[in-house]
């Protein structure tokens, strides 16, 4: 039986992109927990990792998957860390980034790391950003079905 995703952790440090992705996810009937910085996303995952199986853990803090920007806070690739943490916890995770804002070499290196770690990576361009968030979500759904 496939697990239906209900609640997604969305980590994005650009407010306009956060809003765009959040609206898309909500339009699909999902609840969205947002984090605008790496430490916020990491804190949510850490609490879930430590207490998520406890029956007293608040249901509204449980997540079924993670969508994260690659470069957070001063162009640091913290999205890989968040995605690896989620993966270690048995949660599907997808990295989505707007490569046009970043150094091409850094983007290439990070996409290769994501590939080796078997974390789906969606590279975006400005004209296609909404479609790319949708593509990232579809990949997250695919992963969730594989994990069950």
């Amino acid at each position: 039986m496939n697990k239906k995703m209900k609640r997604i952790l969305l980590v994005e440090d650009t407010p306009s992109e956060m809003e765009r992705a959040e609206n898309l996810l909500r339009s699909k009937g999902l609840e969205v927990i947002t984090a605008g910085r790496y430490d916020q996303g990491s804190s949510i995952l850490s609490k879930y990792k430590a207490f998520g199986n406890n029956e007293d853990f608040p249901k509204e803090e449980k997540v079924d998957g993670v969508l994260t920007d690659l470069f957070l806070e001063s162009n640091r690739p913290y999205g890989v860390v968040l995605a690896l943490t989620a993966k270690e916890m048995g949660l599907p995770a997808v990295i989505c980034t707007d490569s046009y804002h970043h150094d091409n070499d850094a983007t290439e290196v990070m996409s290769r790391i994501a590939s080796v770690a078997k974390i789906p990576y969606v590279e975006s361009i400005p004209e296609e950003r909404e479609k790319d968030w949708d593509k990232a979500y579809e990949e997250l759904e695919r992963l969730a079905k594989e994990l069950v």
Side-chain angles (χ1 to χ4, degrees):
M1 183 165 156
N2 290 335
K3 179 181 174 186
K4 176 94 170 111
M5 289 199 306
K6 297 176 186 168
R7 189 171 294 108
I8 303 297
L9 172 60
L10 172 63
V11 186
E12 170 61 66
D13 60 343
T14 304
S16 60
E17 288 305 320
M18 169 84 79
E19 183 179 357
R20 183 188 317 235
E22 184 177 6
N23 288 340
L24 173 87
L25 294 169
R26 289 190 192 284
S27 77
K28 294 181 179 296
L30 296 161
E31 294 177 44
V32 182
I33 298 173
T34 60
R37 295 188 326 259
Y38 164 77
D39 62 329
Q40 293 170 333
S42 181
S43 176
I44 291 165
L45 288 177
S46 293
K47 279 198 313 189
Y48 183 59
K49 185 176 183 180
F51 304 109
N53 291 327
N54 183 320
E55 63 185 50
D56 295 328
F57 188 77
K59 281 199 261 186
E60 63 274 3
E61 293 186 34
K62 291 185 177 185
V63 296
D64 300 312
V66 177
L67 274 179
T68 181
D69 186 10
L70 172 59
F71 294 104
L72 299 165
E73 302 164 51
S74 303
N75 291 328
R76 291 195 167 85
Y78 291 140
V80 171
V81 177
L82 291 171
L84 285 170
T85 300
K87 188 174 177 180
E88 288 171 357
M89 295 168 56
L91 295 171
V94 175
I95 297 168
C96 189
T97 194
D98 53 351
S99 61
Y100 65 96
H101 272 64
H102 306 289
D103 175 272
N104 287 337
D105 290 337
T107 301
E108 178 64 24
V109 167
M110 296 321 300
S111 69
R112 287 182 186 214
I113 289 172
S115 175
V116 168
K118 296 187 178 2
I119 299 169
Y121 176 82
V122 177
E123 195 170 328
S124 184
I125 57 172
E127 304 81 37
E128 302 290 321
R129 194 65 168 147
E130 191 149 335
K131 277 202 265 184
D132 291 331
W133 277 117
D134 197 39
K135 184 175 159 186
Y137 171 70
E138 288 171 7
E139 188 64 20
L140 195 64
E141 273 191 322
R142 184 189 65 75
L143 286 174
K145 289 175 183 172
E146 287 179 6
L147 289 173
V148 176

